[in-house]
Amino acid sequence: MDRIDAMRAFVTVVTEGSFTRAAERLNMSPQLVSKYVSRLEDHLGARLLNRTTRKIHLTEAGSRYAQRAQLVLDDIDDMDSQLTDLQQNAQGLLRISAPVSFATLHLAPLLCRFQRAHPAVSIDLQLNDRKVDIVEEGFDIALRIGHLKSSSMIAKLIAPVRLIMCAAPDYLEKHGTPSSPDELKNHRYLRYSYMEDNTGFSINEWLQPAGYQQTGDMLSNNGEILVSAAIEGAGIIIQPSFICGPAIAAGKLKVVLPQHEPEPMGLYAVYAHRKLLASKVRCFIDFMEGYFSNPPYWDNFD
């Protein structure tokens, strides 16, 4: 027996005053309504209704049970209504994980415009360049940059991300501008800690491998620091255009070996489930799609 259905049948009989009217309201047969009530009485071990051919009468147990059952059903209906609102109307807390540099440089305007469009959504933005566990750490969405590997997560491409090799004009004037990948071995390399090994650069074999650090090289887990160091003449960097693009446009950095630029990586919105997606998540993903355009505005430096 479905106790909720039986409880609802019993309460409807009480409020309507008859099995026939209750059946009409519940869109089922009077026999099924009677069956639900009888099974509920059997389950409780108490008579709830005294039935005559013309009327029904609540017993003392039935009167008490009807009052409490109505409260329970009201709570269930209210809970269902709230969940329906969450699914159909963007509201509630949206927890987002995003890469540090991308978020600090480009995410604030998007978030503000999204909240203006969906004022019932609150945002908790956590910045981290490591790969967070969306489910374990309680995030609704993680923004990730890279070449996404196969996963049980759902990923939506938001924008392409170019990787650019560049250095300060003063550095290149002092140490020479590489004309081929083979010449990179003679240069200082400012390495990003989280750089993927499969970036698609044909020059990877000429760069120092991860874990190797030549005297005078620099290693950091923050791309903005490396860009600033490159501007100061510390060496050659490989960084996303959304970080180094402004410095290239301003002439503070110069592109090196542009003919060896790889296929772009991607900025992805990653989330756990496609089915029964909460409206706040669906609306945010829809809002991001096309927001940065293709090519994105940060690539306007060529």
Side-chain angles (χ1 to χ4, degrees):
M1 177 188 66
D2 187 317
R3 194 182 307 180
I4 300 300
D5 287 342
M7 189 183 300
R8 195 177 297 280
F10 167 69
V11 169
T12 305
V13 169
V14 172
T15 55
E16 294 295 327
S18 78
F19 283 86
T20 301
R21 287 197 295 270
E24 292 173 354
R25 182 172 174 183
L26 295 171
N27 195 28
M28 61 178 65
S29 68
Q31 293 79 11
L32 182 56
V33 174
S34 179
K35 185 176 181 179
Y36 271 132
V37 173
S38 296
R39 288 188 176 182
L40 183 61
E41 290 177 323
D42 291 341
H43 173 77
L44 296 172
R47 179 171 292 278
L48 302 176
L49 296 170
N50 286 319
R51 305 163 177 81
T52 66
T53 54
R54 295 186 178 182
K55 295 189 67 176
I56 60 169
H57 302 275
L58 280 170
T59 65
E60 181 180 1
S63 180
R64 292 184 180 183
Y65 189 80
Q67 293 176 19
R68 299 294 296 272
Q70 185 64 69
L71 293 175
V72 170
L73 292 172
D74 287 345
D75 284 343
I76 291 173
D77 290 342
D78 183 59
M79 179 177 62
D80 288 349
S81 177
Q82 289 184 29
L83 289 175
T84 299
D85 287 342
L86 282 174
Q87 291 298 108
Q88 296 179 352
N89 304 303
Q91 59 179 289
L93 179 63
L94 181 66
R95 298 197 71 234
I96 305 169
S97 172
V100 177
S101 294
F102 180 82
T104 56
L105 293 172
H106 301 285
L107 207 51
L110 181 150
L111 295 177
C112 292
R113 292 173 188 173
F114 174 76
Q115 285 193 300
R116 283 197 290 270
H118 302 280
V121 177
S122 302
I123 291 176
D124 177 6
L125 175 65
Q126 299 294 319
L127 306 188
N128 204 315
D129 285 331
R130 67 178 176 84
K131 186 177 179 180
V132 301
D133 188 314
I134 297 176
V135 176
E136 288 292 327
E137 299 180 49
F139 287 104
D140 296 298
I141 296 175
L143 299 183
R144 290 178 181 163
I145 295 172
H147 298 102
L148 256 58
K149 302 177 176 65
S150 59
S151 162
S152 60
M153 299 289 105
I154 310 301
K156 179 74 173 180
L157 178 63
I158 302 302
V161 175
R162 291 174 63 187
L163 284 175
I164 309 294
M165 176 176 286
C166 51
D170 289 346
Y171 172 86
L172 296 174
E173 183 177 347
K174 182 177 179 180
H175 298 280
T177 300
S179 58
S180 68
D182 182 58
E183 296 179 15
L184 290 172
K185 64 181 68 173
N186 301 319
H187 287 270
R188 298 173 67 190
Y189 176 41
L190 312 183
R191 177 181 291 278
Y192 178 58
S193 305
Y194 297 142
M195 181 70 73
E196 297 178 354
D197 293 333
N198 61 338
T199 55
F201 273 100
S202 60
I203 56 176
N204 265 349
E205 60 185 288
W206 304 104
L207 298 171
Q208 296 91 343
Y212 172 84
Q213 192 167 2
Q214 176 178 301
T215 301
D217 283 356
M218 183 183 295
L219 178 71
S220 176
N221 65 351
N222 183 267
E224 292 171 88
I225 293 294
L226 295 176
V227 168
S228 295
I231 291 172
E232 293 296 320
I236 294 177
I237 57 169
I238 301 175
Q239 281 295 306
S241 56
F242 65 74
I243 301 179
C244 63
I248 296 172
K252 296 178 181 180
L253 293 175
K254 183 178 178 181
V255 178
V256 175
L257 297 174
Q259 67 272 28
H260 291 279
E261 182 177 322
E263 290 297 316
M265 297 189 298
L267 168 67
Y268 292 89
V270 180
Y271 50 102
H273 304 289
R274 190 188 305 275
K275 189 177 181 180
L276 298 178
L277 192 63
S279 182
K280 61 184 179 181
V281 177
R282 183 176 63 254
C283 287
F284 186 69
I285 292 170
D286 291 344
F287 191 86
M288 281 193 298
E289 187 175 7
Y291 180 89
F292 297 113
S293 71
N294 188 1
Y297 62 81
W298 55 72
D299 281 344
N300 294 329
F301 59 83
D302 292 332

PDB file of all heavy atoms in Angstrom, residues 177-203:
ATOM      1  N   THR A 177      65.709  36.130 -30.746  1.00  0.00           N
ATOM      2  CA  THR A 177      64.363  35.596 -30.968  1.00  0.00           C
ATOM      3  C   THR A 177      64.469  34.222 -31.621  1.00  0.00           C
ATOM      4  O   THR A 177      65.071  34.106 -32.691  1.00  0.00           O
ATOM      5  CB  THR A 177      63.546  36.525 -31.876  1.00  0.00           C
ATOM      6  OG1 THR A 177      63.431  37.810 -31.260  1.00  0.00           O
ATOM      7  CG2 THR A 177      62.156  35.956 -32.127  1.00  0.00           C
ATOM      8  N   PRO A 178      63.919  33.189 -30.986  1.00  0.00           N
ATOM      9  CA  PRO A 178      64.003  31.845 -31.586  1.00  0.00           C
ATOM     10  C   PRO A 178      63.319  31.819 -32.952  1.00  0.00           C
ATOM     11  O   PRO A 178      62.212  32.325 -33.114  1.00  0.00           O
ATOM     12  CB  PRO A 178      63.255  30.956 -30.587  1.00  0.00           C
ATOM     13  CG  PRO A 178      63.230  31.737 -29.319  1.00  0.00           C
ATOM     14  CD  PRO A 178      63.206  33.175 -29.712  1.00  0.00           C
ATOM     15  N   SER A 179      64.002  31.238 -33.902  1.00  0.00           N
ATOM     16  CA  SER A 179      63.416  31.092 -35.239  1.00  0.00           C
ATOM     17  C   SER A 179      62.972  29.666 -35.504  1.00  0.00           C
ATOM     18  O   SER A 179      62.302  29.393 -36.499  1.00  0.00           O
ATOM     19  CB  SER A 179      64.427  31.523 -36.309  1.00  0.00           C
ATOM     20  OG  SER A 179      65.622  30.747 -36.221  1.00  0.00           O
ATOM     21  N   SER A 180      63.342  28.761 -34.595  1.00  0.00           N
ATOM     22  CA  SER A 180      62.932  27.359 -34.702  1.00  0.00           C
ATOM     23  C   SER A 180      62.843  26.786 -33.298  1.00  0.00           C
ATOM     24  O   SER A 180      63.468  27.294 -32.355  1.00  0.00           O
ATOM     25  CB  SER A 180      63.940  26.563 -35.532  1.00  0.00           C
ATOM     26  OG  SER A 180      65.181  26.445 -34.839  1.00  0.00           O
ATOM     27  N   PRO A 181      62.066  25.725 -33.108  1.00  0.00           N
ATOM     28  CA  PRO A 181      61.940  25.119 -31.778  1.00  0.00           C
ATOM     29  C   PRO A 181      63.273  24.689 -31.185  1.00  0.00           C
ATOM     30  O   PRO A 181      63.456  24.740 -29.976  1.00  0.00           O
ATOM     31  CB  PRO A 181      61.019  23.924 -32.020  1.00  0.00           C
ATOM     32  CG  PRO A 181      60.229  24.301 -33.223  1.00  0.00           C
ATOM     33  CD  PRO A 181      61.161  25.085 -34.084  1.00  0.00           C
ATOM     34  N   ASP A 182      64.206  24.298 -32.033  1.00  0.00           N
ATOM     35  CA  ASP A 182      65.499  23.817 -31.536  1.00  0.00           C
ATOM     36  C   ASP A 182      66.222  24.896 -30.732  1.00  0.00           C
ATOM     37  O   ASP A 182      66.992  24.593 -29.816  1.00  0.00           O
ATOM     38  CB  ASP A 182      66.356  23.361 -32.726  1.00  0.00           C
ATOM     39  CG  ASP A 182      67.696  22.805 -32.281  1.00  0.00           C
ATOM     40  OD1 ASP A 182      67.684  21.830 -31.498  1.00  0.00           O
ATOM     41  OD2 ASP A 182      68.737  23.357 -32.687  1.00  0.00           O
ATOM     42  N   GLU A 183      65.967  26.154 -31.035  1.00  0.00           N
ATOM     43  CA  GLU A 183      66.659  27.246 -30.358  1.00  0.00           C
ATOM     44  C   GLU A 183      66.087  27.529 -28.964  1.00  0.00           C
ATOM     45  O   GLU A 183      66.679  28.282 -28.203  1.00  0.00           O
ATOM     46  CB  GLU A 183      66.606  28.508 -31.218  1.00  0.00           C
ATOM     47  CG  GLU A 183      67.336  28.365 -32.541  1.00  0.00           C
ATOM     48  CD  GLU A 183      67.262  29.618 -33.390  1.00  0.00           C
ATOM     49  OE1 GLU A 183      66.899  30.683 -32.840  1.00  0.00           O
ATOM     50  OE2 GLU A 183      67.538  29.534 -34.597  1.00  0.00           O
ATOM     51  N   LEU A 184      64.955  26.931 -28.635  1.00  0.00           N
ATOM     52  CA  LEU A 184      64.350  27.175 -27.317  1.00  0.00           C
ATOM     53  C   LEU A 184      65.210  26.645 -26.182  1.00  0.00           C
ATOM     54  O   LEU A 184      65.138  27.154 -25.053  1.00  0.00           O
ATOM     55  CB  LEU A 184      62.956  26.540 -27.250  1.00  0.00           C
ATOM     56  CG  LEU A 184      61.878  27.196 -28.110  1.00  0.00           C
ATOM     57  CD1 LEU A 184      60.620  26.344 -28.097  1.00  0.00           C
ATOM     58  CD2 LEU A 184      61.583  28.604 -27.617  1.00  0.00           C
ATOM     59  N   LYS A 185      66.025  25.645 -26.449  1.00  0.00           N
ATOM     60  CA  LYS A 185      66.842  25.055 -25.383  1.00  0.00           C
ATOM     61  C   LYS A 185      67.852  26.062 -24.825  1.00  0.00           C
ATOM     62  O   LYS A 185      68.386  25.853 -23.737  1.00  0.00           O
ATOM     63  CB  LYS A 185      67.557  23.814 -25.903  1.00  0.00           C
ATOM     64  CG  LYS A 185      68.559  24.078 -27.012  1.00  0.00           C
ATOM     65  CD  LYS A 185      69.211  22.778 -27.497  1.00  0.00           C
ATOM     66  CE  LYS A 185      68.209  21.902 -28.200  1.00  0.00           C
ATOM     67  NZ  LYS A 185      68.830  20.704 -28.834  1.00  0.00           N
ATOM     68  N   ASN A 186      68.078  27.140 -25.545  1.00  0.00           N
ATOM     69  CA  ASN A 186      69.032  28.152 -25.106  1.00  0.00           C
ATOM     70  C   ASN A 186      68.365  29.287 -24.344  1.00  0.00           C
ATOM     71  O   ASN A 186      69.030  30.267 -24.007  1.00  0.00           O
ATOM     72  CB  ASN A 186      69.770  28.728 -26.322  1.00  0.00           C
ATOM     73  CG  ASN A 186      70.506  27.662 -27.107  1.00  0.00           C
ATOM     74  OD1 ASN A 186      71.122  26.776 -26.532  1.00  0.00           O
ATOM     75  ND2 ASN A 186      70.433  27.748 -28.445  1.00  0.00           N
ATOM     76  N   HIS A 187      67.065  29.150 -24.061  1.00  0.00           N
ATOM     77  CA  HIS A 187      66.318  30.246 -23.433  1.00  0.00           C
ATOM     78  C   HIS A 187      65.787  29.852 -22.062  1.00  0.00           C
ATOM     79  O   HIS A 187      65.597  28.669 -21.750  1.00  0.00           O
ATOM     80  CB  HIS A 187      65.160  30.667 -24.334  1.00  0.00           C
ATOM     81  CG  HIS A 187      65.593  31.417 -25.543  1.00  0.00           C
ATOM     82  ND1 HIS A 187      65.714  32.781 -25.567  1.00  0.00           N
ATOM     83  CD2 HIS A 187      65.957  30.978 -26.783  1.00  0.00           C
ATOM     84  CE1 HIS A 187      66.118  33.165 -26.766  1.00  0.00           C
ATOM     85  NE2 HIS A 187      66.275  32.084 -27.525  1.00  0.00           N
ATOM     86  N   ARG A 188      65.538  30.863 -21.264  1.00  0.00           N
ATOM     87  CA  ARG A 188      64.915  30.669 -19.949  1.00  0.00           C
ATOM     88  C   ARG A 188      63.416  30.504 -20.154  1.00  0.00           C
ATOM     89  O   ARG A 188      62.792  31.258 -20.886  1.00  0.00           O
ATOM     90  CB  ARG A 188      65.203  31.869 -19.039  1.00  0.00           C
ATOM     91  CG  ARG A 188      66.688  32.077 -18.751  1.00  0.00           C
ATOM     92  CD  ARG A 188      66.921  33.372 -17.996  1.00  0.00           C
ATOM     93  NE  ARG A 188      66.349  33.303 -16.651  1.00  0.00           N
ATOM     94  CZ  ARG A 188      66.238  34.357 -15.844  1.00  0.00           C
ATOM     95  NH1 ARG A 188      66.625  35.555 -16.258  1.00  0.00           N
ATOM     96  NH2 ARG A 188      65.737  34.221 -14.638  1.00  0.00           N
ATOM     97  N   TYR A 189      62.877  29.529 -19.462  1.00  0.00           N
ATOM     98  CA  TYR A 189      61.460  29.176 -19.639  1.00  0.00           C
ATOM     99  C   TYR A 189      60.725  29.382 -18.316  1.00  0.00           C
ATOM    100  O   TYR A 189      61.131  28.854 -17.280  1.00  0.00           O
ATOM    101  CB  TYR A 189      61.348  27.723 -20.107  1.00  0.00           C
ATOM    102  CG  TYR A 189      59.932  27.202 -20.229  1.00  0.00           C
ATOM    103  CD1 TYR A 189      58.923  27.988 -20.767  1.00  0.00           C
ATOM    104  CD2 TYR A 189      59.621  25.906 -19.824  1.00  0.00           C
ATOM    105  CE1 TYR A 189      57.633  27.509 -20.891  1.00  0.00           C
ATOM    106  CE2 TYR A 189      58.325  25.416 -19.946  1.00  0.00           C
ATOM    107  CZ  TYR A 189      57.342  26.219 -20.478  1.00  0.00           C
ATOM    108  OH  TYR A 189      56.073  25.745 -20.601  1.00  0.00           O
ATOM    109  N   LEU A 190      59.671  30.154 -18.336  1.00  0.00           N
ATOM    110  CA  LEU A 190      58.854  30.414 -17.151  1.00  0.00           C
ATOM    111  C   LEU A 190      57.677  29.445 -17.188  1.00  0.00           C
ATOM    112  O   LEU A 190      56.725  29.628 -17.949  1.00  0.00           O
ATOM    113  CB  LEU A 190      58.363  31.868 -17.132  1.00  0.00           C
ATOM    114  CG  LEU A 190      59.440  32.932 -17.412  1.00  0.00           C
ATOM    115  CD1 LEU A 190      58.841  34.328 -17.300  1.00  0.00           C
ATOM    116  CD2 LEU A 190      60.622  32.772 -16.472  1.00  0.00           C
ATOM    117  N   ARG A 191      57.750  28.410 -16.373  1.00  0.00           N
ATOM    118  CA  ARG A 191      56.812  27.288 -16.474  1.00  0.00           C
ATOM    119  C   ARG A 191      55.619  27.453 -15.547  1.00  0.00           C
ATOM    120  O   ARG A 191      55.765  27.801 -14.373  1.00  0.00           O
ATOM    121  CB  ARG A 191      57.518  25.965 -16.148  1.00  0.00           C
ATOM    122  CG  ARG A 191      56.583  24.744 -16.168  1.00  0.00           C
ATOM    123  CD  ARG A 191      57.311  23.467 -15.810  1.00  0.00           C
ATOM    124  NE  ARG A 191      58.246  23.084 -16.861  1.00  0.00           N
ATOM    125  CZ  ARG A 191      57.902  22.423 -17.961  1.00  0.00           C
ATOM    126  NH1 ARG A 191      56.636  22.064 -18.156  1.00  0.00           N
ATOM    127  NH2 ARG A 191      58.791  22.124 -18.866  1.00  0.00           N
ATOM    128  N   TYR A 192      54.431  27.166 -16.087  1.00  0.00           N
ATOM    129  CA  TYR A 192      53.197  27.112 -15.296  1.00  0.00           C
ATOM    130  C   TYR A 192      53.037  25.705 -14.728  1.00  0.00           C
ATOM    131  O   TYR A 192      53.078  24.720 -15.456  1.00  0.00           O
ATOM    132  CB  TYR A 192      52.007  27.478 -16.182  1.00  0.00           C
ATOM    133  CG  TYR A 192      50.667  27.403 -15.489  1.00  0.00           C
ATOM    134  CD1 TYR A 192      50.401  28.151 -14.346  1.00  0.00           C
ATOM    135  CD2 TYR A 192      49.662  26.579 -15.990  1.00  0.00           C
ATOM    136  CE1 TYR A 192      49.174  28.079 -13.712  1.00  0.00           C
ATOM    137  CE2 TYR A 192      48.422  26.502 -15.364  1.00  0.00           C
ATOM    138  CZ  TYR A 192      48.184  27.263 -14.231  1.00  0.00           C
ATOM    139  OH  TYR A 192      46.969  27.183 -13.604  1.00  0.00           O
ATOM    140  N   SER A 193      52.838  25.603 -13.409  1.00  0.00           N
ATOM    141  CA  SER A 193      52.842  24.303 -12.728  1.00  0.00           C
ATOM    142  C   SER A 193      51.796  23.344 -13.277  1.00  0.00           C
ATOM    143  O   SER A 193      52.027  22.142 -13.370  1.00  0.00           O
ATOM    144  CB  SER A 193      52.600  24.491 -11.224  1.00  0.00           C
ATOM    145  OG  SER A 193      53.530  25.371 -10.670  1.00  0.00           O
ATOM    146  N   TYR A 194      50.609  23.879 -13.603  1.00  0.00           N
ATOM    147  CA  TYR A 194      49.505  23.020 -13.986  1.00  0.00           C
ATOM    148  C   TYR A 194      49.379  22.845 -15.494  1.00  0.00           C
ATOM    149  O   TYR A 194      48.367  22.352 -15.985  1.00  0.00           O
ATOM    150  CB  TYR A 194      48.188  23.576 -13.452  1.00  0.00           C
ATOM    151  CG  TYR A 194      48.098  23.642 -11.947  1.00  0.00           C
ATOM    152  CD1 TYR A 194      47.473  24.712 -11.308  1.00  0.00           C
ATOM    153  CD2 TYR A 194      48.635  22.633 -11.155  1.00  0.00           C
ATOM    154  CE1 TYR A 194      47.387  24.763  -9.922  1.00  0.00           C
ATOM    155  CE2 TYR A 194      48.560  22.685  -9.778  1.00  0.00           C
ATOM    156  CZ  TYR A 194      47.928  23.754  -9.164  1.00  0.00           C
ATOM    157  OH  TYR A 194      47.847  23.801  -7.799  1.00  0.00           O
ATOM    158  N   MET A 195      50.397  23.249 -16.248  1.00  0.00           N
ATOM    159  CA  MET A 195      50.324  23.118 -17.700  1.00  0.00           C
ATOM    160  C   MET A 195      50.195  21.648 -18.086  1.00  0.00           C
ATOM    161  O   MET A 195      50.955  20.801 -17.605  1.00  0.00           O
ATOM    162  CB  MET A 195      51.579  23.706 -18.355  1.00  0.00           C
ATOM    163  CG  MET A 195      51.584  23.625 -19.871  1.00  0.00           C
ATOM    164  SD  MET A 195      50.381  24.724 -20.638  1.00  0.00           S
ATOM    165  CE  MET A 195      51.188  26.308 -20.379  1.00  0.00           C
ATOM    166  N   GLU A 196      49.221  21.351 -18.931  1.00  0.00           N
ATOM    167  CA  GLU A 196      49.035  19.978 -19.375  1.00  0.00           C
ATOM    168  C   GLU A 196      50.195  19.562 -20.268  1.00  0.00           C
ATOM    169  O   GLU A 196      50.753  20.368 -21.015  1.00  0.00           O
ATOM    170  CB  GLU A 196      47.723  19.844 -20.160  1.00  0.00           C
ATOM    171  CG  GLU A 196      46.487  20.139 -19.333  1.00  0.00           C
ATOM    172  CD  GLU A 196      45.224  20.027 -20.176  1.00  0.00           C
ATOM    173  OE1 GLU A 196      45.342  19.833 -21.404  1.00  0.00           O
ATOM    174  OE2 GLU A 196      44.136  20.131 -19.607  1.00  0.00           O
ATOM    175  N   ASP A 197      50.554  18.296 -20.210  1.00  0.00           N
ATOM    176  CA  ASP A 197      51.609  17.783 -21.071  1.00  0.00           C
ATOM    177  C   ASP A 197      51.161  17.679 -22.522  1.00  0.00           C
ATOM    178  O   ASP A 197      51.968  17.720 -23.433  1.00  0.00           O
ATOM    179  CB  ASP A 197      52.073  16.400 -20.580  1.00  0.00           C
ATOM    180  CG  ASP A 197      52.782  16.484 -19.236  1.00  0.00           C
ATOM    181  OD1 ASP A 197      53.356  17.546 -18.944  1.00  0.00           O
ATOM    182  OD2 ASP A 197      52.730  15.484 -18.484  1.00  0.00           O
ATOM    183  N   ASN A 198      49.830  17.544 -22.736  1.00  0.00           N
ATOM    184  CA  ASN A 198      49.325  17.350 -24.101  1.00  0.00           C
ATOM    185  C   ASN A 198      48.712  18.628 -24.646  1.00  0.00           C
ATOM    186  O   ASN A 198      47.597  18.643 -25.144  1.00  0.00           O
ATOM    187  CB  ASN A 198      48.283  16.222 -24.128  1.00  0.00           C
ATOM    188  CG  ASN A 198      47.083  16.533 -23.249  1.00  0.00           C
ATOM    189  OD1 ASN A 198      47.164  17.346 -22.341  1.00  0.00           O
ATOM    190  ND2 ASN A 198      45.970  15.882 -23.545  1.00  0.00           N
ATOM    191  N   THR A 199      49.453  19.745 -24.531  1.00  0.00           N
ATOM    192  CA  THR A 199      48.916  21.019 -25.004  1.00  0.00           C
ATOM    193  C   THR A 199      48.794  21.071 -26.516  1.00  0.00           C
ATOM    194  O   THR A 199      48.143  21.954 -27.052  1.00  0.00           O
ATOM    195  CB  THR A 199      49.822  22.171 -24.553  1.00  0.00           C
ATOM    196  OG1 THR A 199      51.159  21.919 -24.990  1.00  0.00           O
ATOM    197  CG2 THR A 199      49.799  22.314 -23.046  1.00  0.00           C
ATOM    198  N   GLY A 200      49.445  20.148 -27.217  1.00  0.00           N
ATOM    199  CA  GLY A 200      49.379  20.162 -28.672  1.00  0.00           C
ATOM    200  C   GLY A 200      50.513  20.916 -29.322  1.00  0.00           C
ATOM    201  O   GLY A 200      50.564  21.038 -30.542  1.00  0.00           O
ATOM    202  N   PHE A 201      51.446  21.459 -28.527  1.00  0.00           N
ATOM    203  CA  PHE A 201      52.591  22.155 -29.098  1.00  0.00           C
ATOM    204  C   PHE A 201      53.552  21.157 -29.717  1.00  0.00           C
ATOM    205  O   PHE A 201      53.981  20.202 -29.070  1.00  0.00           O
ATOM    206  CB  PHE A 201      53.350  22.938 -28.015  1.00  0.00           C
ATOM    207  CG  PHE A 201      52.814  24.323 -27.794  1.00  0.00           C
ATOM    208  CD1 PHE A 201      51.984  24.591 -26.733  1.00  0.00           C
ATOM    209  CD2 PHE A 201      53.151  25.342 -28.647  1.00  0.00           C
ATOM    210  CE1 PHE A 201      51.500  25.869 -26.522  1.00  0.00           C
ATOM    211  CE2 PHE A 201      52.669  26.625 -28.449  1.00  0.00           C
ATOM    212  CZ  PHE A 201      51.847  26.893 -27.386  1.00  0.00           C
ATOM    213  N   SER A 202      53.934  21.415 -30.944  1.00  0.00           N
ATOM    214  CA  SER A 202      54.967  20.582 -31.552  1.00  0.00           C
ATOM    215  C   SER A 202      56.329  20.877 -30.943  1.00  0.00           C
ATOM    216  O   SER A 202      57.283  20.130 -31.150  1.00  0.00           O
ATOM    217  CB  SER A 202      55.014  20.832 -33.061  1.00  0.00           C
ATOM    218  OG  SER A 202      55.316  22.194 -33.328  1.00  0.00           O
ATOM    219  N   ILE A 203      56.437  21.978 -30.176  1.00  0.00           N
ATOM    220  CA  ILE A 203      57.718  22.357 -29.589  1.00  0.00           C
ATOM    221  C   ILE A 203      57.900  21.798 -28.187  1.00  0.00           C
ATOM    222  O   ILE A 203      58.922  22.056 -27.552  1.00  0.00           O
ATOM    223  CB  ILE A 203      57.862  23.897 -29.538  1.00  0.00           C
ATOM    224  CG1 ILE A 203      56.690  24.496 -28.769  1.00  0.00           C
ATOM    225  CG2 ILE A 203      57.935  24.482 -30.920  1.00  0.00           C
ATOM    226  CD1 ILE A 203      56.800  25.981 -28.587  1.00  0.00           C
TER     227      ILE A 203
END
